[in-house]
Amino acid sequence: MKADLFSSLKLRDVEFRNRIGVSPMCQYSSVDGFANDWHLVHLGSRAVGGAGLVMTEATAVSPEGRISPDDLGLWKDEQIDMLARIFAFVASQGAIPGVQLAHAGFKASTSAPWKGHHPLSETERGWSPIYAASPAPFNEGYQTPHALDPAGIREVIEQFTAAASRCVIAGARVIEIHAAHGYLLHEFLSPLTNKREDEYGGSFENRIRFLCKIVEAVRRHWPEHLPLFVRISSTDWVEGGWTLEDSIALAKMLKTLGVDLIDCSSGGAIPNASIPVSAGYQVGFAKAIREQASINTAAVGLITSATQADAIIRAGEADMVFLARELLRDPYFPLHAARLLKHEIELPPQYRRAF
């Protein structure tokens, strides 16, 4: 039987009630990495709204790995309790709680978008040093990062695994490793940003080594019955950069390491790349990776209607659709989509009169 947007999906021992995922969306609303009532309401309302997967924003594995001083984090045990409260509520509403673990790399120490989204000095709550694959800044005005040395690479791997262990305690059911959008792991993958001459640079096999080691380490600390996702930039959109063919080869490797789904985004390695943005412009990446790497994929990017999302699943272009801005505009998108597509969906009893 062909799947549709409201078909359930089982990955390992986790069953998603539908194929709609809340894509990680930075909220820039934390103090010292702690979740708070904003996150409870933001994530909880999307669970009430009927999403199958509710994922946190990029959650930093270390203080220096934050994008901004206001980022969510999971680098210390004290940050677990509030996330546990949020995840318990999300699960009580029938959604699966997930965490995206991230390190900002050379995009660290910047301000929130509504505060100018500019690099911060230490007097502006910024920090130094920041770290990257190679010692070149992301853009003019950004800090020049320190290239991670072997000891630093080992430390970041340990930070990801420690954060994964905290996810278990907090009650997360999915981990996604963020290896897209020009953040640290993408910086190692892309030949545009990785100019290393050691075992982590040069060839494709060397450039994927860091991510593969993190996946292996996280998979050892993450329960076998729970799924592991990886978000990638499927292409850099720049000649000489990371390509869809690279993504397919990487996905094949990640599948052997225990990854269950590839979240297919794109871009972010360099500023001002020419990206042909249009409705569903990244769906083709999810389709190609799904077909050629034989792995589950999620499509993301300008998916804004129920019929569009449903068509992606029905056509076999992806196994899930991840929505971001559309779910900011309408936290109850899944409930509205179910009514439009004439699917039965369990409504929160408190809201049944309205639907």
Side-chain angles (χ1 to χ4, degrees):
M1 184 174 175
K2 186 174 288 189
D4 58 50
L5 189 62
F6 287 94
S7 300
S8 63
L9 174 66
K10 188 172 184 181
L11 298 177
R12 298 191 186 244
D13 287 351
V14 173
E15 186 164 358
F16 303 87
R17 61 184 170 185
N18 57 50
R19 307 299 181 99
I20 301 169
V22 178
S23 195
M25 293 178 276
C26 290
Q27 297 298 292
Y28 302 104
S29 299
S30 296
V31 176
D32 192 30
F34 282 84
N36 53 48
D37 286 348
W38 176 265
H39 302 90
L40 172 63
V41 174
H42 167 66
L43 298 171
S45 62
R46 274 82 198 164
V48 171
L53 168 66
V54 175
M55 194 134 50
T56 67
E57 64 201 81
T59 303
V61 299
S62 66
E64 64 273 12
R66 293 172 294 170
I67 303 166
S68 82
D70 309 308
D71 281 20
L72 190 63
L74 201 45
W75 64 79
K76 55 186 176 182
D77 291 348
E78 291 82 0
Q79 292 161 334
I80 294 172
D81 284 352
M82 187 60 183
L83 283 175
R85 177 186 172 197
I86 293 168
F87 295 161
F89 180 79
V90 166
S92 77
Q93 301 306 303
I96 301 298
V99 177
Q100 186 190 66
L101 295 180
H103 190 299
F106 65 10
K107 290 185 172 181
S109 191
T110 59
S111 62
W114 57 86
K115 298 177 183 177
H117 201 53
H118 63 272
L120 294 174
S121 67
E122 292 185 51
T123 59
E124 299 173 296
R125 297 175 62 215
W127 56 91
S128 183
I130 62 173
Y131 296 94
S134 300
F138 169 64
N139 200 1
E140 184 178 348
Y142 279 69
Q143 283 189 55
T144 297
H146 290 206
L148 278 174
D149 60 17
I153 286 172
R154 288 193 297 271
E155 183 178 6
V156 172
I157 294 171
E158 290 168 1
Q159 289 166 346
F160 271 90
T161 56
S165 296
R166 294 185 184 104
C167 289
V168 177
I169 299 168
R173 305 291 308 285
V174 170
I175 283 178
E176 176 171 276
I177 295 172
H178 196 350
H181 301 165
Y183 298 123
L184 182 66
L185 302 184
H186 184 194
E187 293 161 27
F188 273 79
L189 296 176
S190 175
L192 300 176
T193 50
N194 185 339
K195 305 300 182 182
R196 301 174 72 96
E197 297 180 354
D198 63 0
E199 63 178 328
Y200 293 97
S203 68
F204 171 82
E205 291 73 20
N206 282 357
R207 286 182 282 111
I208 70 171
R209 191 183 308 276
F210 188 25
L211 172 59
C212 288
K213 286 192 172 189
I214 286 175
V215 167
E216 288 178 297
V218 168
R219 189 72 267 183
R220 286 195 299 270
H221 287 74
W222 185 235
E224 184 66 23
H225 67 281
L226 298 178
L228 178 62
F229 297 0
V230 174
R231 170 168 275 191
I232 63 170
S233 282
S234 305
T235 177
D236 285 333
W237 298 107
V238 176
E239 186 175 350
W242 183 263
T243 67
L244 176 57
E245 290 70 28
D246 291 331
S247 293
I248 292 166
L250 173 64
K252 290 178 179 178
M253 175 61 72
L254 294 178
K255 183 178 180 180
T256 69
L257 299 179
V259 171
D260 301 286
L261 180 143
I262 305 296
D263 178 1
C264 303
S265 191
S266 70
I270 63 168
N272 306 316
S274 180
I275 300 176
V277 176
S278 61
Y281 69 106
Q282 298 174 145
V283 173
F285 302 139
K287 181 177 187 289
I289 292 169
R290 183 178 191 265
E291 291 177 348
Q292 297 182 51
S294 299
I295 193 169
N296 297 291
T297 61
V300 64
L302 287 184
I303 299 169
T304 59
S305 75
T307 53
Q308 178 193 14
D310 188 49
I312 290 167
I313 302 300
R314 287 180 180 272
E317 294 177 304
D319 299 278
M320 297 188 77
V321 292
F322 288 174
L323 306 181
R325 289 176 175 86
E326 190 59 31
L327 279 170
L328 290 183
R329 290 186 283 265
D330 180 8
Y332 308 105
F333 174 94
L335 301 183
H336 295 139
R339 183 168 58 177
L340 179 69
L341 297 171
K342 303 188 185 314
H343 277 272
E344 292 294 328
I345 188 172
E346 187 173 353
L347 295 166
Q350 300 92 331
Y351 288 3
R352 284 174 188 161
R353 288 173 295 174
F355 283 85

